[in-house]
Amino acid sequence: MPAADTPSILLATTVLHLFSLALPATPLRAQTAAVIEATRLADEGRRASGRGEHAEAARLLARAAELRTGHPALLYRLAGAYAQGGSAERAVETLRQAAEMGFAAEPCADPAFTPARGAALDTVCERFRENLRRTGNSTLAFGLAQPDLIPEGIAFDPVRARFLVSSVRHGSIRAVDTAGAETEFAAPSVAGGWSALGMAVDVSRRRLWVATSALRERAGIDSAEVGQAALLALDLDSGQRLARYPVSGPGRRLLGDVCVSRTGDVFASDAAGRQVFRLPPGGERLQPLFADGTLLSPQGLALSPDERRLYVADYALGILVLDLASGEVRPLQQPARSSLLGIDGLAAHGGTLLAIQNGSRPHRVLRLHLSPDGLGAERVELLEANHPLFGEPTLGVVVGERFYYIANSQWDRFRDGVLQTDPPLAAPRILATPLPSSLP
């Protein structure tokens, strides 16, 4: 699911300015404040470039890049300002940093870099072209029949050996067995006329937890309900609704993803409300886990193997690590010249995290090899990029030693909430990528 109000990792200033810069001096809040300040500086730099003030633009964008490490699109802007200001060497070096993060662009076709033309720029342009080439071993696992399904979440029931796929457009949940036969698991009425999004299976309790939200992209949505959200508990065998837990409080809400622990604790991310909730076993209401103003756009969730930590993919902040006992939260440490912004789906597999990055170009599937303490990524491995079936990949689920994920949700076919059907929509496809235990 695209981040609420944040269609790309270059986050809209109007969204970020909802937060005050007067935040308590905790490490994460300092990072949140840095994101906001960097966005302000980047906007000023863009305006300076428009006025032809390239030295001033470079100064502003350089400061923004210092505050927003791991942001390849921002580095690309900075490189353009250097080139326009006559600093060809700095432009090429800055472009090289963006290319090493996997970012795809075509600077040799961009007029902004005309002043930096030469052999050094040609070499960097080739690296960018490499980032546009297909990488990975994902294969087609199965498809779904309805082109306008707009799938978002996927889960797997090992007892009945079937996948479950949720629909943004219709609010239904489809079941697909291992032979590829598709049936209806839950009718649109189960979600109460809202969109069905992320899901998580609790095998031992035979429950399917579903994030539902009233989105304008839902066909036939009641406009008066847009901005509301609720977590649902469904019977994993019958698809019948057992319980509903609405998100209370002021403001717009958007529950997008869910994960569940072995003890039955359920966690759900609210991208619009900038919060992550916990529903303890037997609980009657959702409990917020983060102080207000800490998060910007929480998306995918995953638990550590010992379930003491919750990993939260925030579209604007990267991946965060929450200690569930102490409440301490910190950014996941990552290798230099890597980018973990714009991550939607997140799943755990042993000592790794699997991440679907749809907020950058190109869309990618990554595997993060975690440090022994689980607080950092020692290595970022590219599992898939530029697959020909990609069309806004969203969420995935680990089954055995394979990662199954929605390849073409087709979220990008919406314009102001209206689904564009010309050219015709493609049938939804689920890809699977192997997860070998040994490192390449």
Side-chain angles (χ1 to χ4, degrees):
M1 174 191 65
D5 293 326
T6 55
S8 74
I9 56 174
L10 287 174
L11 297 164
T13 306
T14 52
V15 176
L16 297 181
H17 283 175
L18 293 175
F19 292 87
S20 167
L21 294 180
L23 300 173
T26 64
L28 183 56
R29 292 212 176 196
Q31 181 179 346
T32 303
V35 170
I36 299 167
E37 176 66 2
T39 302
R40 185 189 68 79
L41 291 168
D43 282 348
E44 287 189 11
R46 176 181 53 80
R47 289 191 289 270
S49 290
R51 296 189 300 267
E53 299 171 0
H54 302 302
E56 176 64 5
R59 184 189 70 80
L60 292 165
L61 290 167
R63 178 56 183 149
E66 290 176 3
L67 295 171
R68 295 286 278 129
T69 57
H71 198 312
L74 184 54
L75 289 173
Y76 187 86
R77 282 192 194 178
L78 173 59
Y82 282 146
Q84 289 293 302
S87 301
E89 185 175 339
R90 298 179 77 179
V92 169
E93 175 55 30
T94 304
L95 280 174
R96 184 177 291 110
Q97 295 175 32
E100 289 176 359
M101 293 179 187
F103 186 62
E106 298 180 11
C108 283
D110 188 338
F113 294 98
T114 299
R117 291 285 172 82
L121 180 62
D122 290 342
T123 300
V124 174
C125 288
E126 177 55 33
R127 176 59 189 270
F128 277 108
R129 284 190 284 270
E130 290 177 6
N131 292 343
L132 283 169
R133 297 185 183 121
R134 165 78 194 281
T135 301
N137 298 305
S138 295
T139 56
L140 179 64
F142 61 90
L144 296 111
Q146 191 171 358
D148 72 342
L149 192 71
I150 313 300
E152 171 69 14
I154 181 170
F156 184 74
D157 177 7
V159 173
R160 302 190 67 162
R162 62 181 180 179
F163 291 90
L164 302 167
V165 181
S166 63
S167 169
V168 170
R169 183 68 173 162
H170 300 287
S172 58
I173 299 174
R174 310 297 294 174
V176 181
D177 65 22
T178 52
E182 179 183 349
T183 57
E184 184 175 77
F185 171 77
S189 58
V190 173
W194 296 357
S195 296
L197 298 153
M199 302 181 295
V201 164
D202 187 337
V203 178
S204 62
R205 297 168 185 81
R206 304 303 296 160
R207 297 287 183 268
L208 177 69
W209 292 95
V210 185
T212 65
S213 296
L215 302 178
R216 59 180 183 168
E217 290 82 2
R218 169 68 160 90
I221 189 67
D222 182 346
S223 60
E225 295 182 344
V226 170
Q228 300 180 48
L231 178 67
L232 303 184
L234 306 187
D235 185 288
L236 190 51
D237 296 300
S238 68
Q240 296 300 305
R241 191 167 81 185
L242 303 175
R244 181 176 184 273
Y245 305 89
V247 181
S248 59
R252 192 164 65 90
R253 301 293 183 170
L254 201 172
L255 288 188
D257 203 5
V258 186
C259 73
V260 60
S261 72
R262 292 185 294 269
T263 58
D265 287 278
V266 184
F267 303 90
S269 59
D270 177 0
R274 302 174 176 90
Q275 185 57 265
V276 175
F277 296 99
R278 179 182 198 166
L279 181 70
E284 297 182 353
R285 62 185 59 187
L286 301 175
Q287 304 171 353
L289 290 177
F290 289 83
D292 291 343
T294 302
L295 304 178
L296 288 176
S297 184
Q299 305 286 324
L301 305 171
L303 287 160
S304 61
D306 60 10
E307 299 193 338
R308 294 179 178 178
R309 297 187 180 93
L310 179 69
Y311 296 98
V312 180
D314 188 294
Y315 227 64
L317 297 173
I319 297 178
L320 311 176
V321 188
L322 173 66
D323 187 300
L324 292 170
S326 68
E328 180 185 9
V329 59
R330 65 181 73 189
L332 182 77
Q333 298 301 305
Q334 64 190 73
R337 298 196 179 180
S338 63
S339 178
L340 299 181
L341 303 175
I343 289 175
D344 189 356
L346 198 65
H349 179 244
T352 69
L353 292 175
L354 304 168
I356 298 175
Q357 190 176 43
N358 61 20
S360 65
R361 182 177 184 234
H363 295 163
R364 306 190 298 175
V365 180
L366 307 173
R367 178 160 62 168
L368 314 182
H369 297 268
L370 299 176
S371 58
D373 62 9
L375 299 178
E378 295 182 332
R379 179 167 174 259
V380 178
E381 177 187 359
L382 178 61
L383 294 181
E384 190 67 58
N386 300 302
H387 194 285
L389 290 179
F390 273 5
E392 199 78 42
T394 53
L395 307 183
V397 63
V398 175
V399 181
E401 294 302 308
R402 295 176 72 80
F403 183 52
Y404 294 79
Y405 60 96
I406 295 169
N408 62 331
S409 70
Q410 302 182 106
W411 266 102
D412 54 346
R413 297 296 296 275
F414 284 104
R415 297 293 182 271
D416 296 322
V418 178
L419 185 62
Q420 307 299 305
T421 57
D422 184 18
L425 296 165
R429 295 290 183 258
I430 309 302
L431 296 179
T433 189
L435 300 171
S437 56
S438 60
L439 299 181

